């Protein structure tokens, strides 16, 4: 045995478990002695750097957001994996992402984010149906609930009684009209309640070609753009109020002669609604149109921003007490 080495052995004891115990004790002493012979480091230790986060590859398209007054939750379409996946992330009041890697939800497209008073609700459209994700303020998915609703999401009320409106277009062959059919969903955890909803058909010869919705907190206002199929007359823009029980409260012709599409936004308060759209004709730009609580056009119009590039994609409008917050997204050139 070489000088300075310590043997690691034990005598055979009368019981079988003792060798293991003694062996460990002797080897522990050997390890401690050898450790003392390890030379000190030649340079000071360097702390591990903080992680550096870079932008995800491919395209991310913002879709929806809401805030509880302290933090916001933003949801978007993410193509980093080569397929469209719904992601979300919390953002603080300084605009800092609290979930820099994002919260992966599911393959699909987020359609709405709503603060329920206790947590965030994210509505995600997946093939043939929708899913509801409940996310707490710590960024944890606390519930994931599928709903058997195939119709596209249109709008949500965000007051004490949250309701989600889903509608699709149907042709009524007998009367040569069209109608909107769908569901109003009460997004209760684990067991959402679905109510069928059927809105009045168009006048004879007209067809629904576009529709958007917004809320004043307690009701949903639906704007329906209707066009003569013969093309021989002007379009009709009709406003219909829907309450939390899925009842039609009123139906009003707005008197507003504009084309609406899914990139437009509608939001309201007790004293009426604001429609915001990207106007590409006449005086182009982002413009607002003031409507009454029943949806009638008041004549008030404002140009909020100068012309934006043709690749302009989406407006986002939110009610904030007596104010409205407006943002729009333009892709990189």
């Amino acid at each position: 045995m070489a000088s300075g080495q310590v043997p690691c052995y034990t005598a055979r004891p009368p019981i079988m478990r003792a060798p293991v115990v003694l062996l460990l004790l002797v080897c522990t002493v050997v390890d401690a002695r050898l450790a003392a012979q390890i030379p000190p480091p030649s340079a000071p230790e360097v702390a591990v750097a903080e992680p550096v986060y870079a932008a995800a590859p491919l395209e991310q398209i913002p879709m929806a957001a809401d805030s509880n007054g302290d933090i916001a939750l933003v949801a978007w379409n993410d193509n980093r994996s080569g397929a469209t996946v719904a992601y979300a992330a919390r953002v603080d009041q300084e605009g800092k992402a609290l979930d820099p890697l994002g919260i992966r939800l599911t393959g699909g497209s987020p359609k709405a984010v709503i603060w329920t008073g206790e947590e965030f609700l994210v509505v995600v459209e997946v093939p043939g149906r929708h899913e509801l994700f409940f996310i707490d303020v710590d960024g944890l998915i606390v519930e994931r609930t599928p709903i058997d609703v195939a119709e596209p999401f249109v709008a949500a009320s965000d007051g004490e009684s949250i309701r989600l409106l889903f509608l699709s277009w149907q042709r009524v062959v007998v009367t040569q009209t069209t109608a909107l059919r769908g569901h109003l969903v009460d997004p209760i955890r684990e067991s959402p309640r679905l109510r069928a909803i059927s809105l009045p058909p168009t006048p004879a010869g007209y067809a629904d070609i576009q529709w958007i919705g917004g809320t004043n907190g307690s009701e949903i206002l639906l704007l329906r753009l209707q066009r003569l199929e013969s093309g021989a007359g002007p379009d009709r823009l009709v406003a219909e109020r829907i309450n939390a029980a899925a009842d039609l409260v009123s139906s009003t012709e707005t008197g507003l002669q504009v084309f609406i599409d899914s990139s437009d936004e509608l939001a309201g308060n007790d004293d009426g609604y604001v429609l915001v759209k990207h106007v590409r004709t006449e005086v182009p730009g982002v413009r607002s149109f003031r409507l009454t609580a029943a949806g009638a056009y008041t004549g008030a119009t404002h140009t909020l921003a100068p012309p934006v590039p043709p690749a302009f994609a989406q407006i986002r409008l939110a009610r904030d007490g007596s104010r409205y917050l407006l943002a729009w997204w333009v892709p990189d050139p």
Side-chain angles (χ1 to χ4, degrees):
M1 180 180 301
S3 175
Q5 291 184 339
V6 180
C8 182
Y9 69 90
T10 182
R12 182 182 179 86
I15 59 175
M16 297 302 296
R17 288 175 295 177
V20 177
V21 176
L22 292 176
L23 180 62
L24 291 175
L25 290 174
V26 174
C27 288
T28 301
V29 174
V30 172
D31 290 344
R33 292 180 180 180
L34 292 177
Q37 300 176 14
I38 298 175
S42 60
E45 295 183 357
V46 178
V48 177
E50 292 292 328
V52 176
Y53 298 103
L58 302 178
E59 189 175 43
Q60 288 76 42
I61 302 175
M63 297 298 293
D66 200 6
S67 171
N68 64 1
D70 183 24
I71 61 172
L73 188 78
V74 180
W76 68 91
N77 285 335
D78 198 300
N79 296 310
R80 70 180 72 176
S81 64
T84 299
V85 176
Y87 271 78
R90 295 168 300 144
V91 180
D92 67 15
Q93 293 182 347
E94 303 299 323
K96 178 183 177 182
L98 302 178
D99 306 293
L101 298 180
I103 305 168
R104 191 184 192 280
L105 302 179
T106 187
S109 179
K111 297 301 179 183
V113 176
I114 305 152
W115 171 249
T116 68
E118 298 179 354
E119 57 207 358
F120 291 100
L121 168 63
V122 184
V123 182
V124 181
E125 183 183 89
V126 298
R129 60 188 175 89
H130 290 77
E131 290 194 46
L132 307 180
F133 289 82
F134 297 85
I135 301 176
D136 66 15
V137 293
D138 295 320
L140 299 176
I141 300 174
V142 295
E143 191 70 47
R144 175 179 178 176
T145 305
I147 53 174
D148 189 19
V149 173
E151 297 91 359
F153 173 81
V154 176
S157 62
D158 56 1
E160 295 182 359
S161 300
I162 295 175
R163 298 291 186 270
L164 311 175
L165 179 62
F166 301 83
L167 292 172
S168 65
W169 176 94
Q170 292 183 357
R171 178 173 291 279
V172 183
V173 178
V174 176
T175 58
Q176 292 298 303
T177 61
T178 64
L180 298 181
R181 304 283 188 268
H183 292 86
L184 196 66
V185 177
D186 185 358
I188 302 172
R189 270 203 203 179
E190 299 182 359
S191 57
R193 182 168 57 181
L194 280 65
R195 302 179 185 179
I197 185 169
S198 179
L199 298 176
T202 61
Y206 279 87
D208 289 292
I209 60 171
Q210 294 283 350
W211 51 91
I212 62 171
T215 183
N216 63 2
S218 59
E219 297 178 339
I220 292 176
L221 184 72
L222 182 72
L223 297 183
R224 300 171 62 179
L225 182 63
Q226 300 172 349
R227 177 167 294 171
L228 274 171
E229 296 189 285
S230 65
D235 296 341
R236 303 173 71 241
L237 187 60
V238 179
E240 294 179 334
R241 295 166 58 202
I242 303 166
N243 65 17
D247 298 325
L248 180 66
V249 178
S250 66
S251 181
T252 305
E253 284 202 46
T254 65
L256 185 59
Q257 292 295 316
V258 295
F259 182 86
I260 61 170
D261 59 38
S262 59
S263 70
D264 300 334
E265 285 280 283
L266 179 68
N269 211 326
D270 293 338
D271 60 349
Y273 287 82
V274 171
L275 168 67
V276 178
K277 66 180 287 80
H278 179 210
V279 178
R280 296 169 175 83
T281 59
E282 301 174 356
V283 181
V286 178
R287 299 174 68 186
S288 69
F289 303 87
R290 184 72 174 171
L291 308 177
T292 67
Y297 178 44
T298 65
T301 300
H302 300 283
T303 298
L304 305 177
V308 293
F312 165 84
Q314 184 70 59
I315 292 171
R316 290 303 175 208
L317 177 69
R319 187 186 72 247
D320 181 22
S322 60
R323 304 177 302 168
Y324 292 91
L325 303 179
L326 174 66
W328 58 90
W329 172 76
V330 179
D332 293 332

